[in-house]
Amino acid sequence: MRLPKISKTPCKDKPNLKDLDLHEIETCIAPLGKETYRARQIMKWLYQFGAESFEEMTNLSKDFRVALNDIARIGQLDIAKTQTSADGTKKVLFRLEDGHSIESVLIPGKNHWTLCVSTQAGCRMGCTFCLTGEQGFRRNLLPSEITGQITRLRFGTPEGENIKNIVMMGMGEPLANYENTIKAIRIMTSDFGLGFSNRKVTVSTCGIAPMIKQMGQDICVNLAISLNAPDNKRRSELMPINRTYPLETLLAACRDYPMPGRRMLTFEYILMAGINDAPEDAEKLARLLKGIRCKLNLIALNEFPGSKYKTPSQETVSNFQQILMNHHYTAILRASKGSDILAACGQLSGQANSHSY
Ligand code: SAH
Ligand code: SF4
């Protein structure tokens, strides 16, 4: 029997299988009278072989593939533009089905790539140093749009198969899109899904304390906190979320966050000239984090057109780092990769810049 031609045009009314986790796919195919292990086969096709149509799923019967096509669809993100920085960092602009745009950043390591993914189109947290925040909120990303950044690059680019780390530090606040982010992480770390070890996935948050608690109960991934100030007064000015969850509440949630083995929390601290970069601030920070098993990522502010704050001098940054090291902290100076194409932290806007390479 010849397989009837399956249309590739997505019908938006049908669920996108990439928005469903394993259990939901099982439920979705149950009315077709199929064994539950078929759901695992489907997931493998989607995430491990990059199937874009049911036709490709050759270990499923033809009848089943046709029936699947009647009830579900396979969505795919479109790459609108890729830009490459002088240091090798690549910024990828994706166009979503409804026309919104998001960005991911591929950061080169020695023998691997780290992929920085977005969890929202825009962000409503309003941090005053961040371009994404300045541009406001458009919408939450669906699970398929979060994992889609990975699958599209994994199967569609030469770097793809060497993506070894996922950091949720692109556009948006992952814990403000909690359900979709957690589902996406479950798919990322499933043996039938993208197959990442949970040690290779990091969620970065501005500090929504109750959701940090919740996440500690639901999944086990690395946690990074954007701290950026050593006291409530300045943190509230830079990051409005601090007015709702001040440092005491945030750090209590961090202390309780379960980190297995030798893993450590990461605190990110953007150094801004004359705002939070004084030696006394480093001393204050050392006292604030005392007793928390953590490392510190120091980032010299990445300026963007119209940014209010300025990057401190190299010397100021080194002094700040040295003070923390004197207090026995691991304080890493994070190199700002891709700043020439506005691909560095805080520079993502979801809009293509004027030049591409
Ligand atoms: N919303 C999450 C994750 C996305 S922001 C969060 O805030 O953690 C990702 C990282 O970019 C954060 O660590 C944030 O502090 C940093 N960032 C934002 N604006 C920046 C800028 N202008 N320069 C350097 N880092 C910036
Ligand atoms: Fe949103 Fe993070 Fe930017 Fe703050 S730093 S505005 S939370 S993306």
Side-chain angles (χ1 to χ4, degrees):
M1 191 184 87
R2 267 176 61 85
L3 183 68
K5 192 74 195 142
I6 295 173
S7 154
K8 279 199 176 165
T9 328
C11 161
K12 301 271 168 60
D13 299 334
K14 294 190 277 188
N16 180 355
L17 278 190
K18 290 182 176 171
D19 283 322
L20 310 182
D21 61 21
L22 180 63
H23 182 65
E24 288 166 331
I25 296 179
E26 286 169 0
T27 310
C28 180
I29 63 172
L32 305 179
K34 290 294 168 189
E35 309 86 337
T36 47
Y37 76 88
R38 297 287 179 195
R40 299 199 284 272
Q41 288 179 318
I42 293 171
M43 274 193 82
K44 282 191 172 182
W45 277 111
L46 297 176
Y47 299 106
Q48 295 179 7
F49 304 115
E52 292 178 25
S53 73
F54 295 111
E55 269 172 280
E56 293 166 56
M57 302 184 178
T58 46
N59 59 355
L60 306 180
S61 73
K62 290 174 181 178
D63 291 350
F64 183 32
R65 281 182 268 161
V66 173
L68 269 178
N69 191 59
D70 285 340
I71 61 164
R73 67 187 182 94
I74 301 170
Q76 179 82 290
L77 295 190
D78 285 331
I79 295 181
K81 185 169 184 172
T82 305
Q83 290 170 273
T84 305
S85 154
D87 63 24
T89 302
K90 291 172 194 276
K91 180 163 82 163
V92 183
L93 182 79
F94 290 102
R95 186 96 52 230
L96 307 178
E97 284 179 353
D98 63 359
H100 285 305
S101 296
I102 53 162
E103 284 168 331
S104 310
V105 182
L106 272 164
I107 305 153
K110 254 196 186 143
N111 299 309
H112 70 279
W113 291 82
T114 295
L115 180 63
C116 176
V117 298
S118 295
T119 53
Q120 298 181 309
C123 183
R124 58 158 65 96
M125 294 296 140
C127 304
T128 52
F129 48 80
C130 173
L131 181 59
T132 310
E134 190 171 272
Q135 299 207 329
F137 180 68
R138 294 186 277 275
R139 70 167 173 82
N140 281 330
L141 297 188
L142 296 166
S144 60
E145 293 167 331
I146 300 172
T147 59
Q149 298 164 63
I150 310 170
T151 38
R152 186 68 186 78
L153 295 170
R154 181 182 266 190
F155 299 107
T157 61
E159 302 80 22
E161 64 181 86
N162 276 323
I163 297 173
K164 302 286 186 227
N165 297 302
I166 303 294
V167 293
M168 298 188 144
M169 294 185 187
M171 295 167 69
E173 168 51 42
L175 300 188
N177 181 16
Y178 188 76
E179 298 298 330
N180 292 347
T181 296
I182 296 298
K183 194 190 269 190
I185 292 173
R186 290 211 164 106
I187 293 169
M188 278 176 216
T189 55
S190 156
D191 288 344
F192 311 108
L194 288 160
F196 286 95
S197 150
N198 58 23
R199 273 175 289 123
K200 300 290 181 185
V201 177
T202 301
V203 169
S204 176
T205 176
C206 61
I208 307 181
M211 302 322 287
I212 292 175
K213 271 204 158 135
Q214 185 66 50
M215 188 168 87
Q217 289 163 15
D218 291 344
I219 49 166
C220 171
V221 288
N222 300 320
L223 180 64
I225 315 287
S226 297
L227 196 61
N228 301 330
D231 55 51
N232 279 320
K233 186 172 177 295
R234 271 176 294 172
R235 192 163 193 271
S236 294
E237 279 163 19
L238 296 168
M239 305 181 74
I241 188 72
N242 195 68
R243 296 176 207 147
T244 314
Y245 305 112
L247 282 169
E248 301 70 36
T249 315
L250 171 60
L251 295 181
C254 292
R255 284 195 178 89
D256 287 347
Y257 187 79
M259 292 290 273
R262 297 159 63 88
R263 284 201 242 173
M264 289 191 210
L265 292 175
T266 303
F267 286 98
E268 299 179 283
Y269 193 101
I270 305 171
L271 289 156
M272 298 171 230
I275 303 286
N276 63 357
D277 63 345
E280 309 81 77
D281 297 331
E283 295 287 352
K284 223 172 169 181
L285 184 60
R287 284 197 297 278
L288 183 72
L289 299 181
K290 205 164 177 209
I292 303 182
R293 207 154 51 89
C294 65
K295 56 179 187 251
L296 276 146
N297 263 355
L298 303 177
I299 311 153
L301 176 89
N302 293 313
E303 291 180 27
F304 50 86
S307 77
K308 286 190 203 168
Y309 308 107
K310 294 277 165 269
T311 310
S313 71
Q314 195 89 55
E315 195 192 347
T316 308
V317 174
S318 303
N319 286 345
F320 200 95
Q321 180 185 27
Q322 192 55 54
I323 293 170
L324 292 165
M325 286 172 21
N326 294 347
H327 284 279
H328 309 292
Y329 284 97
T330 305
I332 299 156
L333 202 55
R334 208 167 77 188
S336 269
K337 298 221 169 173
S339 51
D340 54 339
I341 54 165
L342 292 186
C345 298
Q347 295 184 318
L348 301 183
S349 65
Q351 285 157 9
N353 303 322
S354 53
H355 54 289
S356 58
Y357 298 81

